[in-house]
Amino acid sequence: MGARIKDVAERAGVSVTSVSRVLNGEKYISQRILDKVNQAIKELNYSPSQIARSLKKQKTNTIGVIVPDFTNYFCSTILSSIEESASEYGYNLIVCNIAENLDKELKYLQAVQEMRVDGIIIMHQKTDERILSFIESASMPILFSCVRSPLPDRFSVLINDYQAASDATDYLIGLGHRRIAFLGGDLEDVTSGQSRYQGYLDALSKAGIPLNPDFVKFGNYKQESGRIRMKEILEQGAGERPTVVFAASDDMAVGAMNCILDYGLRIPEDISIMGFDDSLIAKAVRPMLTSMHQPARELGRTSLEYLHNLIEDRGQPCCKEIYLPHRIMERASCRRI
Amino acid sequence: MGARIKDVAERAGVSVTSVSRVLNGEKYISQRILDKVNQAIKELNYSPSQIARSLKKQKTNTIGVIVPDFTNYFCSTILSSIEESASEYGYNLIVCNIAENLDKELKYLQAVQEMRVDGIIIMHQKTDERILSFIESASMPILFSCVRSPLPDRFSVLINDYQAASDATDYLIGLGHRRIAFLGGDLEDVTSGQSRYQGYLDALSKAGIPLNPDFVKFGNYKQESGRIRMKEILEQGAGERPTVVFAASDDMAVGAMNCILDYGLRIPEDISIMGFDDSLIAKAVRPMLTSMHQPARELGRTSLEYLHNLIEDRGQPCCKEIYLPHRIMERASCRRI
DNA sequence: ATGAAAGCGCTAACAC
DNA sequence: GTGTTAGCGCTTTCAT
């Protein structure tokens, strides 16, 4: 990258200090110098080095984002929303796709630390000792988005997964369902996976509905796992079929839907189905999917704003977990029985 | 971030050079020093600064990726595949979501240049003079992925959009269709948008089928625009309906599908439909979507590999445009008539 | 209002 | 094998 600040200074016949001042838009610079410097910058096609600037200022205006899976609608919506806000605040994003690989996550955490990002947003679901200990000893702000922080002194922005799953189950019970199957995410996912399952369990028990273990299966939030687990439920021989399936993600719900449809059953006449996330795909399938709405864009924006506050040391959020409101989006895939 | 290399050196009682050597895994270091340094690193929880390293080495091991829209399945698949390869080669990714905003793209291009990324991958569809002139005068390697390079001395990795659209149209003609509607992407998208349209036109004319202007609409590749344009075609009063709709993206195809379905028409009995991209959504909808397959993961991987070669100065690719093979994925949404 | 010079944390000659 | 030291390109006191 050709020109350095020194070249600009020489060309303009001024000191590097003056060039730096122009670059940083300081006041108290004479018009004469301003013009000469701008002229020289143009002539040399000069682009200042953020590397050098970051080294000196000990600030990179960069934040690292750890995402489980770019190709997941919900993740990419959050990411896109984080990006939008980051752009407003002048941050650039280093993104890391960990693909549920803890080794990769650790490697990335180290990498962004070495790059001296100003802060980190983590959306991972699983974790392990190494990662926990990294986070614990890291000195930069770290915020968890859409998952609960595993550590007491780190913050998270998310919905109340337990309450949301419980509300969803209540809703299905209110529709007259008693045989309610649950297609869970990963149980190793200690934050949303377990919370959503627990919400389902408690809502059933509150309504006095006994749990049918045949109606509970776990996957990995992806479509294919929804299809496979649904198949297991349908082929379980003897027992009765559920009248509704509550999936812990829209992707799993769609997988289950297609399994049901491919079996020649109708939705919602034979089996109702409810998703979780209310991602774009919920409106793309037919029948349209009733789903628990997570305010994805607000989650992304709020995550970035809180991280920004942490970085600027504007004091801590009010509480360790910031809950954004969830709500049920009623569509065509659940019927009253 | 507490400790610097100097602190480690003092703690270990050696010179900074020795620490640097250990850090960079050089050989010819005595076991004694190695142990002492590693010990000190651990005790101080030292993390080397990539900023300082980059400044010195004039290399950041970072590449910038300009993406039109994270939330698009096809984009996110490419991105995820680029990420995967980048990770193998030891690059970190700065990603930029431009949301079809040219101002934002220019801002981002400047930003990644200032961050001294080792190279840039661009996936944008539209462009303008300012961006062109930036790219022209930029001194780092820039590679276009999934779009044709607008500049003669820059490379691209993509499929042959013209040929693919022409093949798709041929396929539909082979199925007996003559009333073939076309749901195009953006005509301002000078690379794929125009090429796909031209492929469609030429295939029709080669088969001696006159173009029906009522059957051609343009959108923006997104679902909603597919739905809206399809509605226009369906409500066009007087004329006959098309027997098949060829959409320039799967998302538009799904939008069109839902419009058709919501109209009470059947797919493919009443109208067949064909998509483009073969993204995840093609298999998520019912009937499953016949689509022109783009080898997304290979496109991403190849893009990164060629950029890497450019960065390492391993000579230029064989040709300006590297075409990867496309193919038709036959599914249930198109019938022979 | 402008400039000289120190130093951010690291690497790589070069010397021993 | 190991250490000394000069920068990488910038910002920022501190003088003037």
Side-chain angles (χ1 to χ4, degrees), chain A residues 1-3 45-56 60-62 69-73 76-77 79-80 83-84 86-88 91-98 104 107-108 110-116 137-140 223 227 251 254 258-259 261-262 280-281 283-286 288 297, chain B residues 1-3 45-56 60-62 69-73 76-77 79-80 83-84 86-88 91-98 104 107-108 110-116 137-140 223 227 251 254 258-259 261-262 280-281 283-286 288 297:
Chain A
M1 300 302 316
N45 193 21
Y46 170 71
S47 159
S49 163
Q50 276 300 341
I51 301 294
R53 185 175 282 171
S54 296
L55 181 59
K56 180 66 194 177
T60 53
N61 294 314
T62 289
D69 180 12
F70 290 169
T71 65
N72 173 290
Y73 257 146
S76 65
T77 305
L79 185 58
S80 137
E83 194 283 336
E84 195 175 313
S87 168
E88 280 169 28
Y91 292 110
N92 284 106
L93 255 39
I94 311 263
V95 303
C96 312
N97 188 146
I98 52 176
K104 202 167 172 188
K107 209 194 80 199
Y108 266 135
Q110 279 157 186
V112 294
Q113 165 168 274
E114 293 185 354
M115 294 174 88
R116 299 294 188 261
S137 61
S139 61
M140 74 258 291
Q223 236 185 86
R227 202 183 58 71
D251 279 352
V254 169
N258 287 334
C259 173
L261 258 19
D262 294 349
L280 278 175
I281 204 165
K283 277 170 287 192
V285 293
R286 290 298 180 274
M288 288 206 225
R297 301 209 70 83
Chain B
M1 299 305 314
N45 194 21
Y46 169 71
S47 159
S49 163
Q50 276 300 340
I51 302 293
R53 186 176 280 170
S54 295
L55 180 60
K56 179 65 193 180
T60 54
N61 294 313
T62 290
D69 179 12
F70 288 169
T71 64
N72 173 290
Y73 256 147
S76 65
T77 305
L79 186 57
S80 137
E83 194 285 335
E84 194 176 314
S87 169
E88 279 169 29
Y91 292 109
N92 284 106
L93 256 40
I94 312 264
V95 303
C96 312
N97 188 147
I98 51 175
K104 202 167 172 188
K107 209 195 81 199
Y108 266 135
Q110 278 158 188
V112 295
Q113 166 168 274
E114 292 185 353
M115 294 175 87
R116 300 294 188 261
S137 61
S139 62
M140 76 257 291
Q223 237 185 83
R227 204 184 55 73
D251 279 352
V254 169
N258 287 334
C259 173
L261 258 17
D262 294 349
L280 279 175
I281 204 165
K283 277 170 287 191
V285 293
R286 291 296 179 276
M288 288 204 226
R297 302 211 69 84

Side-chain angles (χ1 to χ4, degrees), chain A residues 286, chain B residues 226-232 234 254-265:
Chain A
R286 290 298 180 274
Chain B
R227 204 184 55 73
I228 293 172
R229 299 305 165 213
M230 190 66 224
K231 195 150 183 277
E232 291 175 11
L234 253 24
V254 169
M257 251 175 100
N258 287 334
C259 173
I260 294 169
L261 258 17
D262 294 349
Y263 250 76
L265 297 171

Side-chain angles (χ1 to χ4, degrees), chain A residues 103-174:
Chain A
D103 290 341
K104 202 167 172 188
E105 174 169 358
L106 187 64
K107 209 194 80 199
Y108 266 135
L109 284 170
Q110 279 157 186
V112 294
Q113 165 168 274
E114 293 185 354
M115 294 174 88
R116 299 294 188 261
V117 294
D118 296 334
I120 303 180
I121 292 180
I122 297 181
M123 295 178 64
H124 71 186
Q125 290 142 348
K126 304 183 201 172
T127 190
D128 67 9
E129 264 315 315
R130 297 169 306 163
I131 291 173
L132 250 26
S133 105
F134 175 95
I135 295 172
E136 207 156 15
S137 61
S139 61
M140 74 258 291
I142 297 181
L143 183 136
F144 289 81
S145 183
C146 306
V147 293
R148 186 135 24 83
S149 164
L151 261 11
D153 59 338
R154 300 288 186 179
F155 301 93
S156 13
V157 172
L158 72 173
I159 64 161
N160 187 327
D161 284 289
Y162 171 82
Q163 192 60 49
S166 163
D167 290 352
T169 311
D170 281 349
Y171 166 76
L172 297 174
I173 293 169

